[in-house]
Amino acid sequence: MTLSDHAIPLAVVGCGARAGITAHALAGGRAQVVAYVDPAPGAAQRLAQRIGAPAPEFSSVTELLGSAAAPEAALVLSPDDTHAQVATQLLEAGVAVYLEKPMTISTEDADAVLLTAARTGTPLYVGHNMRHMAVVRTMREIIARGEIGQVKAIWCRHFVGHGGDFYFKDWHADRSRSTGLLLQKGAHDLDVIHHLAGGYSTRVVGMGGLTLYDQISDRRDNSDRTMPDWFDRDGWPPLSLRELNPVIDVEDLSMVQMRLDNGVLASYQQCHYTPDYWRNYTVIGTEGRIENFGDGAGGVVRLWDHRCEYQAAGDREFPITGESAGHGDADQDTMTEFLDHLAHGSRTITSPVAARQAVATAVAATQSLRDGSQPRDVPALPQHVVAHFGARS
């Protein structure tokens, strides 16, 4: 199923901090907003004013689908714990779905979304924008050219310097709404690890804990605000933060070891109170290794492919271009890919199956770290679902 090449009528479901990416869908006149859906009073109006696209407002997807509004597609940008219900309801109604990552907060819900999309034939796209980031594209291209031989190991260290503001002042800090930050935040990097390795995790061991933010007693219900309202880049040291979420039961320091189905071994570490905010990937192959220093414009990927002692500069260097901070370029590329897929059925770099595998890996790792680091197997998807969406990562 593909949609005609015209200004696609879009519904925006969830008008919070992430909803600004709607502007990318409107660029070039390829889509138009015909409806906003958000239960919070004023949220839709604020977004409409921000992106200059007025449209009717609804408090629920049920209300939207029962109205005269006729979206062909929807951007599902609501909180993670709503993704499964919202996405399946839209897919059942034949509305193509752009689903923000992580696609759901449980493996069972992720499978339900994929099964619904496969059964109905309604297009489903999951917005794993990091596959479009220049640092990831550069590393993937080096691997594809065979410059480090066969990939054997991938390590990722994630320094989440703004973690206190981004994840501990609202619903993200409540495991009943997010499962944990190995999922909510780590799904990005777990997907990238799978993407670079060309395989999916089958067995994981997690370790971690709530090691700092539980020591802060100053709490506030911030449901009347969104993250830009409380973000403070000067908030340092982390224990000086105030107005944290009333419920904090997710880990602020976590890690996972993974064995992939193609034999690659991988590890991911995440800390939410570092002074710096960036990701460092190391990919080791049979003929060399690559590592990024910085993950935006001005950073580099360095390649070592000769025996040496310590050699900071590597043997070769590849510049990282594009967005100087964040993933604005990747957001634009991701939305363009989604619209191209709807209009022409074109192949995508992102993958609903890979998005599910990131969720399943993160869930299994979270279960492991909360159960004394007992190893967990990542449950497999039914083959007919894999076949519907296409093969690999």
Side-chain angles (χ1 to χ4, degrees):
M1 175 181 176
T2 59
L3 302 180
S4 56
D5 195 6
H6 62 277
I8 297 171
L10 281 179
V12 180
V13 183
C15 301
R18 187 65 178 139
I21 65 171
T22 304
H24 295 307
L26 305 183
R30 299 190 61 191
Q32 59 177 332
V33 177
V34 297
Y36 294 100
V37 180
D38 200 300
Q45 186 177 23
R46 287 193 297 271
L47 177 61
Q49 292 174 346
R50 177 181 169 190
I51 64 176
E57 302 171 13
F58 303 90
S59 62
S60 69
V61 170
T62 299
E63 185 182 351
L64 166 69
L65 296 176
S67 73
E72 292 184 8
L75 308 182
V76 178
L77 311 172
S78 53
D80 300 349
D81 58 328
T82 69
H83 285 186
Q85 181 178 353
V86 168
T88 53
Q89 192 174 3
L90 290 165
L91 292 167
E92 290 282 7
V95 178
V97 169
Y98 175 107
L99 185 56
E100 181 65 353
K101 54 66 56 188
M103 63 186 301
T104 61
I105 66 169
S106 76
T107 305
E108 294 77 14
D109 280 350
D111 290 353
V113 171
L114 291 184
L115 285 164
T116 302
R119 176 173 50 79
T120 62
T122 311
L124 170 66
Y125 183 98
V126 184
H128 271 284
N129 52 11
M130 277 194 63
R131 289 192 175 210
H132 288 279
M133 284 181 65
V135 61
V136 175
R137 292 200 315 268
T138 299
M139 298 184 93
R140 172 89 168 180
E141 290 164 1
I142 294 169
I143 293 167
R145 291 195 298 265
E147 296 194 46
I148 61 169
Q150 182 182 358
V151 173
K152 290 293 185 181
I154 300 179
W155 307 332
C156 176
R157 299 179 300 160
H158 193 179
F159 312 105
V160 193
H162 303 328
D165 287 299
F166 284 3
Y167 303 105
F168 287 87
K169 293 189 176 183
D170 65 3
W171 58 267
H172 296 88
D174 183 345
R175 67 173 64 176
S176 71
R177 300 198 60 192
S178 64
T179 294
L181 297 178
L182 267 180
L183 171 58
Q184 207 291 325
K185 185 61 172 168
H188 262 319
D189 293 295
L190 296 175
D191 179 63
V192 169
I193 287 170
H194 291 162
H195 187 50
L196 296 177
Y200 295 132
S201 296
T202 58
R203 192 164 177 80
V204 299
V205 175
M207 184 176 292
L210 179 56
T211 62
L212 185 144
Y213 289 114
D214 58 331
Q215 301 172 45
I216 299 175
S217 59
D218 191 277
R219 305 293 177 92
R220 182 187 189 276
D221 181 353
N222 291 304
S223 58
D224 61 328
R225 304 189 292 172
T226 60
M227 189 274 293
D229 298 324
W230 65 67
F231 176 68
D232 179 11
R233 185 178 289 271
D234 296 325
W236 188 261
L239 284 173
S240 72
L241 268 62
R242 296 293 178 264
E243 300 184 337
L244 270 61
N245 196 58
V247 176
I248 296 179
D249 60 1
V250 297
E251 295 76 15
D252 52 24
L253 180 65
S254 54
M255 54 199 72
V256 57
Q257 308 290 333
M258 295 159 273
R259 182 182 296 277
L260 277 59
D261 55 12
N262 59 0
V264 172
L265 297 178
S267 68
Y268 171 64
Q269 298 89 38
Q270 176 190 100
C271 181
H272 284 265
Y273 46 85
T274 58
D276 49 341
Y277 192 6
W278 66 293
R279 297 169 166 90
N280 171 256
Y281 295 106
T282 294
V283 184
I284 302 172
T286 55
E287 298 175 21
R289 78 174 183 94
I290 51 177
E291 182 176 355
N292 68 293
F293 296 84
D295 54 15
V300 297
V301 175
R302 292 187 177 128
L303 165 70
W304 290 260
D305 60 3
H306 294 85
R307 292 181 69 172
C308 61
E309 304 301 325
Y310 177 71
Q311 183 178 311
D315 292 304
R316 275 180 285 164
E317 188 173 280
F318 304 83
I320 301 170
T321 59
E323 189 77 6
S324 59
H327 41 62
D329 291 352
D331 285 339
Q332 177 67 75
D333 290 345
T334 305
M335 195 60 67
T336 298
E337 182 176 74
F338 169 62
L339 296 175
D340 286 345
H341 181 63
L342 295 190
H344 310 297
S346 52
R347 186 176 177 85
T348 62
I349 294 174
T350 65
S351 158
V353 169
R356 181 271 187 191
Q357 299 292 54
V359 168
T361 300
V363 168
T366 302
Q367 292 170 342
S368 173
L369 75 83
R370 292 176 183 166
D371 186 29
S373 299
Q374 295 297 313
R376 286 287 198 284
D377 291 325
V378 179
L381 259 175
Q383 282 304 305
H384 75 279
V385 177
V386 176
H388 173 80
F389 289 102
R392 299 298 293 179
S393 60

